[in-house]
Amino acid sequence: MAKLRILEFPDPRLRTRAAPVKVVDDRLRQLADDMFETMYAAPGIGLAATQVDVHQRLLVVDVSVDKTQPLVLINPEILQKDGVAVTEEGCLSVPGYFEEVERYEHIRVRYLDRDGATVERDMEGLLAVCVQHEMDHLNGRLFVDYLSEAKRQRIRKRLVKDRRTESTPVAVL
Ligand code: ZN
């Protein structure tokens, strides 16, 4: 397993629309395993392939407290949706920011699992919110897109500035 580098807003690669996965093979399963390792280490409860600069429709989530319910969703599609849930969301690609976002409360999702089998599953609560957030990533959308332009620009400026500070060259002698 390997930890992967997570792209951070406003990296333009996060705006890429991911392509459908054609074959669920060992290479893809390895990627999913690496994404879990990256997500758990962060720590986070969801990660889309887009965030690690792989533009295929694959995401991993685990909303359990004890990290025992890993789910791999390949080519996910929302079949049904209803209700409203407002949740304070964060994102591994927008570190340090948490804002309320409105999403569907219940969703029915069809996807391929890590063995390539088709699954249809009803989701609600945090799992439903998390899957909608990660599916947005696959379409190049970020949770900050739900905020006002002014707020988004503030976050953008701050993150760009933070990164500039971090990458200041240090003389290693
Ligand atoms: Zn995210």
Side-chain angles (χ1 to χ4, degrees), residues 13-39:
R13 289 171 289 184
L14 286 168
R15 297 308 189 177
T16 312
R17 194 180 159 82
V21 170
K22 292 202 180 88
V23 191
V24 179
D25 56 10
D26 285 343
R27 221 174 117 253
L28 195 79
R29 280 185 280 273
Q30 181 62 55
L31 172 63
D33 288 344
D34 290 345
M35 286 170 61
F36 274 119
E37 186 180 350
T38 307
M39 178 189 85

Side-chain angles (χ1 to χ4, degrees), residues 20-156:
V21 170
K22 292 202 180 88
V23 191
V24 179
D25 56 10
D26 285 343
R27 221 174 117 253
L28 195 79
R29 280 185 280 273
Q30 181 62 55
L31 172 63
D33 288 344
D34 290 345
M35 286 170 61
F36 274 119
E37 186 180 350
T38 307
M39 178 189 85
Y40 286 134
I45 59 170
L47 190 68
T50 309
Q51 292 175 276
V52 294
D53 203 21
V54 176
H55 301 287
Q56 296 195 53
R57 304 188 82 79
L58 161 71
L59 58 91
V60 300
V61 297
D62 187 345
V63 298
S64 70
V65 177
D66 51 0
K67 303 178 179 178
T68 53
Q69 288 163 42
L71 272 183
V72 178
L73 283 77
I74 299 161
N75 298 341
E77 279 176 84
I78 293 181
L79 303 177
Q80 283 172 32
K81 52 199 181 189
D82 68 81
V84 175
V86 177
T87 311
E88 192 168 66
E89 295 186 17
C91 178
L92 296 177
S93 294
V94 191
Y97 290 89
F98 300 87
E99 298 285 345
E100 285 191 339
V101 177
E102 189 179 306
R103 300 198 186 265
Y104 296 106
E105 190 179 12
H106 306 277
I107 53 173
R108 184 169 181 79
V109 187
R110 180 163 59 207
Y111 58 93
L112 303 178
D113 68 11
R114 60 179 296 133
D115 300 315
T118 301
V119 178
E120 278 190 27
R121 180 168 167 166
D122 290 308
M123 299 179 179
E124 59 176 14
L126 188 57
L127 179 60
V129 167
C130 184
V131 166
Q132 289 172 81
H133 174 119
E134 304 311 330
M135 284 180 71
D136 270 357
H137 277 301
L138 302 180
N139 293 326
R141 194 169 168 86
L142 296 165
F143 88 99
V144 293
D145 298 343
Y146 294 90
L147 310 178
S148 70
E149 177 70 23
K151 210 173 229 178
R152 188 165 49 254
Q153 289 308 329
R154 227 170 19 246
I155 293 173
R156 184 182 196 280

